[in-house]
Amino acid sequence: MSGQEQEFDVVVLGAGSTGENVADVVVRGGLSAALVEAELVGGECSYWACMPSKALLRGTEVLTAARAVDGARQAVTGEQDVAATLARRDSFTHGWDDSSQAEWVDGAGIALLRGTGRLDGERTVVVTGTGGTTTRLTARHAVAVCTGSEAAVPPIEGLPGIDPWTPRDATSAKEAPGRLLVVGGGYVGCEMATAWQALGARVTLVQRGDRLLEEMEPEAGDAVAAALRDRGVDVRLRTDVLAARRDGGEVVLQCTGGELRGDEVLVAVGRQARTADAGLGTVGLTPGEYLDVDDSLQVRGLPWLYGVGDVNGRRQLTHMGKYQARQAGAAIVARARGEQVSTADWSPTAATADRRATPSVVFTEPQVASVGLTRARAAKAGVPHRVVVYPIGSVAGASLHADGYTGTAVAVVDAEREVLLGVTFVGPGVAELLHAATVAVVGEVPIARLWHAVPAYPTMSEIWLRLLETYRG
Amino acid sequence: MSGQEQEFDVVVLGAGSTGENVADVVVRGGLSAALVEAELVGGECSYWACMPSKALLRGTEVLTAARAVDGARQAVTGEQDVAATLARRDSFTHGWDDSSQAEWVDGAGIALLRGTGRLDGERTVVVTGTGGTTTRLTARHAVAVCTGSEAAVPPIEGLPGIDPWTPRDATSAKEAPGRLLVVGGGYVGCEMATAWQALGARVTLVQRGDRLLEEMEPEAGDAVAAALRDRGVDVRLRTDVLAARRDGGEVVLQCTGGELRGDEVLVAVGRQARTADAGLGTVGLTPGEYLDVDDSLQVRGLPWLYGVGDVNGRRQLTHMGKYQARQAGAAIVARARGEQVSTADWSPTAATADRRATPSVVFTEPQVASVGLTRARAAKAGVPHRVVVYPIGSVAGASLHADGYTGTAVAVVDAEREVLLGVTFVGPGVAELLHAATVAVVGEVPIARLWHAVPAYPTMSEIWLRLLETYRG
């Protein structure tokens, strides 16, 4: 069926938060933009990831905080209301209805095309709508692929046949399963184990490696494993899943070390690029692979093509996708104007923070907030560095925050330049402590100057003073 | 009575957190130090200010947070336990016993002298112990006066005769008064009104000026006044107290606008230097006045004398006293070694942050966290600047934090240098957001670089992205 033809300055594939931001930036820069989406406008983060997962976790966080303060604890005599918690989660996903986001797109002057977009040669995208109608889009300046990522399915015998929960199912479930098996000890596995255990499930968390949250400082995974166990989660490290099957209503996982049975199984062992059905073959790229991009998010060898967000495999986090969108959008606008684009560190058209200062927060109890290099990554990169570790519970603000507060701060300092390379905070309520570290790392603020950045007493931020004192020795 | 004579490199008057830190820094720098204290080692902050006040407020904070999250709210079916809250407060003040702090002083190699210390001419201090014994101390290098401040008593007819609560009484009270009158709408008045209303008192807050927290951005006082009223506090602005008396067990305040009756009255209208009995007259200074110091905290005209902490009137906050102690201590050590001392901005021997980046947190509900210049101070200083205001409740992380989250962020940007001059956050749970602003102001991180400091999604710190977007326009 031959369809319509339309021309735009920029065509964006995928209307998740990354695609929305690329389109918004280029439209603000005076270009026209089409945004193509087959599912919900707003994407993974709004409907199946950040927002619903944090909505599931917030109630547990505040009740844990209240129970940790003598005097307040006595007021918490009831139980968390699971139905109300799930209803609150649904309010954040707008019941999985994207009309408010579609309205925003329209108001921003972006053309929204519903359907599956596929590249069809240079600067061309064909959109197939639900009824089979096709629209051929030509991009004068650039095509940005922002199709994101999806849960990877590990090669475990029998797994595809038993319809396991993906992270999407875990964040959108309508009730707590009786027994939930979680395969994968990364941040999704840890957060969902925390959430569903608190909401009534008996959770078993299976992790192949030696510890949870393996990419982070070891203090993080150790603390989260201990806390999950305290809350009744059966945490099994160094455990492989060999096969999966259903036995009546039960899910059965055959693992090294024995058999596990549950009512549902969540598989959260990583992500893969959503590029299998994006027409990559028509421009000489390999379907299913991550897009290889430079710091302006331009695909190497194809100057009209950008890969922004999860799809390039650089940093798979909503805020980094939006950041890349701002940098890529600025690069697209500049190049459309015939301007030179710098990919030098910290240029307005380079996603330097992807390499130097990516923040992330794991909303477990305790929380894990980190930015920049861990000690392991600094060592691997061969950067001369010093590691400073301090127990957050020794800070007055933390002892006020919670009785018996336990937590750890780890700072990695460039030993030659005397600037911070990375910081990790592990402990209750540390999420908002992180941005100070991000500003310090990004701003390359010298340690000597940081001594003048006085933390207000008695906040938990006083950990900064202790880290500086410990570094000085 | 003639007494003992002793010589030290440095003599420190006052063993509050400021004095302790001066002594600690100079001892670490290889000098000997005597620390003179007539009351409790640890001082105001540990026993009558920061620690007990925040301990009184924390239970209310966590319960307010839990009640603001649907699903968690249903678990909070009881009331805050007032006796347990007061007992928790007592645990932070160690029952007003300073033996653990005295032990720390001893372990740090500092000589502690119990008694009242008074200057007695150049580099000389006479300590009068409780039994009337005297010790004459000679300081080879420096005397640091760290005697702090005390509550100012306003000239209100009848007030001295009715034995009003000072801030010390408000933080150390053994039970909630039935009706508490609070005179003064600064941070002490606002915090104590919040605490005691939550702990069962019916509070009336009387403020002379047009709004509460007058030194801060107007958004702060307006939000705190509205919240106090929501909680049942009778907030009276533009109200002068003309006279005070007791009528039976009642306190009666005659105010513009009528009479107020209560069971106790807290007077919190500011501070005055504790220098009336410090022997200032023996070195040509005026007793009762603040010490006039330069950025190394050296008293002008008396190179051997330092005034550190509240006593110099620069910034009356525990953390700034400790900061000044570090800078003054470093200056004393350097000068003792015959080294030149720089008072240039951000030098290790200059308390530059006093002028440029003083952080403070008011632990009311909502909290007020601010650093650097307000818009009013920037205007007064004649700095070309732009003001950026954004509602924190529009940030995803805030909407997750509390249902119906209300708050405001105000940033003051140097319009020429494009760096932050000051930031204020008003809202629930903003205390830990502040340090990022402090690092940005102190580090003079350019706005262009701050765009690379990506806030983790979905934290409240995403307010940073909104402030940057709003600034860009």
Side-chain angles (χ1 to χ4, degrees):
Chain A
M1 193 188 322
S2 88
Q4 240 188 315
E5 301 211 352
Q6 291 185 50
E7 197 173 55
F8 292 90
D9 291 325
V10 180
V11 174
V12 179
L13 294 191
S17 53
T18 298
E20 287 178 324
N21 275 275
V22 171
D24 187 40
V25 172
V26 300
V27 166
R28 283 169 187 269
L31 304 180
S32 65
L35 187 58
V36 182
E37 177 60 61
E39 294 187 279
L40 296 180
V41 177
E44 209 69 23
C45 162
S46 301
Y47 300 103
W48 298 289
C50 324
M51 291 305 286
S53 64
K54 276 70 216 178
L56 289 174
L57 287 158
R58 176 67 183 155
T60 304
E61 182 190 357
V62 283
L63 289 177
T64 301
R67 290 190 179 109
V69 176
D70 196 23
R73 182 172 46 76
Q74 290 84 338
V76 187
T77 43
E79 292 299 315
Q80 185 168 359
D81 184 324
V82 175
T85 300
L86 297 177
R88 186 172 190 259
R89 183 268 320 266
D90 295 353
S91 76
F92 280 103
T93 61
H94 304 278
W96 290 271
D97 176 319
D98 69 357
S99 48
S100 70
Q101 298 232 22
E103 247 173 65
W104 174 86
V105 169
D106 190 52
I110 302 159
L112 176 63
L113 287 92
R114 301 265 185 185
T116 301
R118 294 180 187 89
L119 287 166
D120 190 28
E122 183 171 333
R123 292 186 296 107
T124 307
V125 165
V126 173
V127 181
T128 307
T130 43
T133 58
T134 60
T135 308
R136 173 172 294 267
L137 303 178
T138 307
R140 283 180 210 101
H141 295 298
V143 174
V145 179
C146 308
T147 48
S149 65
E150 60 199 352
V153 181
I156 293 170
E157 188 195 320
L159 194 63
I162 66 164
D163 191 25
W165 271 12
T166 63
R168 285 190 173 200
D169 298 307
T171 56
S172 61
K174 298 297 177 197
E175 56 180 352
R179 295 164 303 165
L180 175 64
L181 308 178
V182 178
V183 179
Y187 78 92
V188 174
C190 290
E191 286 186 350
M192 289 300 97
T194 302
W196 288 112
Q197 180 78 17
L199 295 172
R202 273 172 295 138
V203 176
T204 302
L205 177 57
V206 180
Q207 162 74 330
R208 177 179 253 177
D210 287 337
R211 52 167 52 98
L212 303 179
L213 303 171
E214 287 177 303
E215 298 296 305
M216 315 196 97
E217 296 288 7
E219 288 85 353
D222 291 350
V224 170
L228 284 170
R229 284 177 174 141
D230 273 354
R231 286 157 184 259
V233 174
D234 182 358
V235 178
R236 306 207 172 187
L237 303 175
R238 292 173 290 279
T239 302
D240 262 320
V241 181
L242 307 170
R245 66 174 203 279
R246 288 248 175 216
D247 178 7
E250 280 190 315
V251 169
V252 186
L253 297 184
Q254 189 191 327
C255 302
T256 51
E259 194 177 84
L260 293 173
R261 285 172 177 263
D263 298 301
E264 296 288 354
V265 56
L266 161 64
V267 178
V269 295
R271 312 287 296 172
Q272 62 194 21
R274 281 182 70 181
T275 55
D277 191 29
L280 292 198
T282 69
V283 297
L285 300 173
T286 309
E289 289 194 353
Y290 284 114
L291 292 173
D292 179 31
V293 300
D294 69 11
D295 268 9
S296 73
L297 294 316
Q298 195 177 41
V299 174
R300 291 181 211 278
L302 296 173
W304 56 273
L305 188 65
Y306 292 75
V308 193
D310 282 15
V311 79
N312 60 40
R314 285 163 70 104
R315 291 292 185 175
Q316 297 186 319
L317 294 156
T318 289
H319 46 276
M320 297 313 284
K322 288 162 63 181
Y323 166 69
Q324 291 177 12
R326 295 191 288 273
Q327 309 309 94
I332 291 167
V333 169
R335 286 179 177 132
R337 291 174 180 162
E339 294 165 15
Q340 279 295 312
V341 159
S342 165
T343 54
D345 276 3
W346 312 119
S347 138
T349 46
T352 310
D354 284 357
R355 289 179 285 100
R356 300 274 294 273
T358 296
S360 75
V361 177
V362 185
F363 289 82
T364 40
E365 291 289 328
Q367 296 175 334
V368 179
S370 68
V371 65
L373 298 187
T374 57
R375 47 159 91 81
R377 283 189 184 277
K380 199 174 165 191
V383 187
H385 65 282
R386 275 182 55 203
V387 180
V388 181
V389 179
Y390 199 87
I392 302 175
S394 303
V395 170
S399 63
L400 287 161
H401 187 89
D403 297 332
Y405 188 103
T406 305
T408 310
V410 181
V412 180
V413 184
D414 185 316
E416 285 173 1
R417 298 168 62 226
E418 297 225 303
V419 295
L420 284 167
L421 294 169
V423 180
T424 297
F425 299 110
V426 182
V430 298
E432 305 296 349
L433 268 67
L434 182 61
H435 200 59
T438 306
V439 172
V441 172
V442 168
E444 300 174 289
V445 182
I447 295 287
R449 182 66 70 91
L450 283 177
W451 277 98
H452 292 273
V454 181
Y457 190 85
T459 63
M460 288 207 286
S461 296
E462 215 191 12
I463 183 65
W464 281 93
L465 179 56
R466 302 296 165 225
L467 288 171
L468 292 173
E469 288 171 344
T470 308
Y471 176 74
R472 184 191 54 193
Chain B
M1 190 187 325
S2 87
Q4 237 190 319
E5 301 212 354
Q6 291 185 50
E7 195 173 56
F8 292 90
D9 291 325
V10 180
V11 175
V12 179
L13 293 191
S17 52
T18 297
E20 287 179 323
N21 275 274
V22 171
D24 188 40
V25 171
V26 299
V27 166
R28 283 168 186 271
L31 305 180
S32 65
L35 186 58
V36 183
E37 176 61 59
E39 296 189 278
L40 296 179
V41 177
E44 210 67 23
C45 162
S46 301
Y47 300 102
W48 298 289
C50 324
M51 291 306 284
S53 64
K54 275 70 215 178
L56 289 175
L57 287 157
R58 175 66 183 157
T60 305
E61 182 190 357
V62 284
L63 289 177
T64 301
R67 290 190 179 108
V69 176
D70 196 25
R73 182 172 45 77
Q74 290 84 339
V76 188
T77 46
E79 292 299 315
Q80 185 169 359
D81 184 325
V82 175
T85 300
L86 296 177
R88 184 171 190 259
R89 182 269 320 266
D90 294 352
S91 77
F92 280 103
T93 61
H94 303 278
W96 291 271
D97 175 317
D98 68 358
S99 49
S100 70
Q101 298 231 24
E103 246 172 69
W104 174 86
V105 169
D106 190 53
I110 302 160
L112 176 63
L113 286 92
R114 300 264 185 187
T116 301
R118 294 180 187 88
L119 287 165
D120 189 27
E122 183 171 332
R123 292 186 297 109
T124 306
V125 166
V126 173
V127 181
T128 308
T130 42
T133 59
T134 59
T135 309
R136 174 171 294 269
L137 303 178
T138 308
R140 284 181 209 100
H141 295 297
V143 175
V145 179
C146 308
T147 48
S149 65
E150 59 199 352
V153 180
I156 294 170
E157 188 195 322
L159 194 62
I162 66 165
D163 191 24
W165 272 11
T166 63
R168 283 189 174 202
D169 298 305
T171 56
S172 61
K174 298 296 178 201
E175 57 181 350
R179 295 163 305 164
L180 176 65
L181 307 178
V182 178
V183 179
Y187 78 91
V188 173
C190 290
E191 286 186 351
M192 288 300 95
T194 302
W196 289 112
Q197 180 78 16
L199 295 172
R202 271 170 298 136
V203 177
T204 301
L205 177 57
V206 179
Q207 161 75 329
R208 177 178 252 176
D210 287 338
R211 51 165 54 98
L212 304 179
L213 302 172
E214 288 177 301
E215 297 296 304
M216 315 196 95
E217 295 288 6
E219 289 84 352
D222 290 349
V224 170
L228 284 170
R229 285 175 173 143
D230 273 355
R231 288 158 183 259
V233 174
D234 182 358
V235 178
R236 305 206 173 187
L237 303 175
R238 293 173 291 279
T239 301
D240 262 321
V241 181
L242 307 171
R245 67 175 202 277
R246 287 243 176 221
D247 180 6
E250 279 192 316
V251 170
V252 185
L253 298 183
Q254 189 190 327
C255 302
T256 53
E259 195 178 83
L260 292 173
R261 287 174 176 261
D263 299 300
E264 296 287 355
V265 56
L266 162 64
V267 179
V269 297
R271 311 286 297 172
Q272 61 194 22
R274 282 183 70 180
T275 56
D277 190 28
L280 292 197
T282 69
V283 298
L285 300 173
T286 309
E289 289 195 354
Y290 284 114
L291 294 172
D292 179 30
V293 299
D294 69 9
D295 268 9
S296 74
L297 295 315
Q298 195 178 42
V299 174
R300 291 181 212 278
L302 295 173
W304 57 274
L305 188 64
Y306 290 75
V308 194
D310 282 15
V311 80
N312 60 39
R314 288 163 68 103
R315 291 292 187 176
Q316 299 186 317
L317 294 157
T318 288
H319 46 276
M320 296 314 283
K322 288 163 61 181
Y323 166 70
Q324 290 176 13
R326 295 190 289 273
Q327 309 309 95
I332 291 168
V333 169
R335 287 180 175 130
R337 291 176 182 159
E339 294 166 12
Q340 278 296 311
V341 159
S342 165
T343 54
D345 276 3
W346 312 121
S347 136
T349 46
T352 311
D354 285 357
R355 291 179 285 100
R356 300 273 296 273
T358 296
S360 76
V361 176
V362 186
F363 289 82
T364 40
E365 293 286 328
Q367 295 175 335
V368 180
S370 68
V371 65
L373 298 187
T374 57
R375 47 160 90 82
R377 285 190 183 275
K380 198 172 166 192
V383 188
H385 64 282
R386 276 181 54 202
V387 180
V388 181
V389 180
Y390 199 88
I392 302 176
S394 302
V395 170
S399 64
L400 286 161
H401 187 89
D403 298 332
Y405 188 104
T406 304
T408 310
V410 181
V412 181
V413 184
D414 185 317
E416 286 173 359
R417 298 168 60 224
E418 298 224 302
V419 296
L420 284 167
L421 294 170
V423 180
T424 297
F425 299 109
V426 183
V430 298
E432 304 296 349
L433 268 67
L434 182 61
H435 200 59
T438 306
V439 172
V441 172
V442 167
E444 300 174 289
V445 182
I447 296 285
R449 181 67 69 89
L450 283 178
W451 276 98
H452 292 273
V454 181
Y457 191 86
T459 63
M460 289 207 287
S461 296
E462 216 191 12
I463 185 65
W464 281 93
L465 179 56
R466 302 296 166 225
L467 289 171
L468 292 173
E469 287 170 345
T470 308
Y471 177 74
R472 185 192 54 196

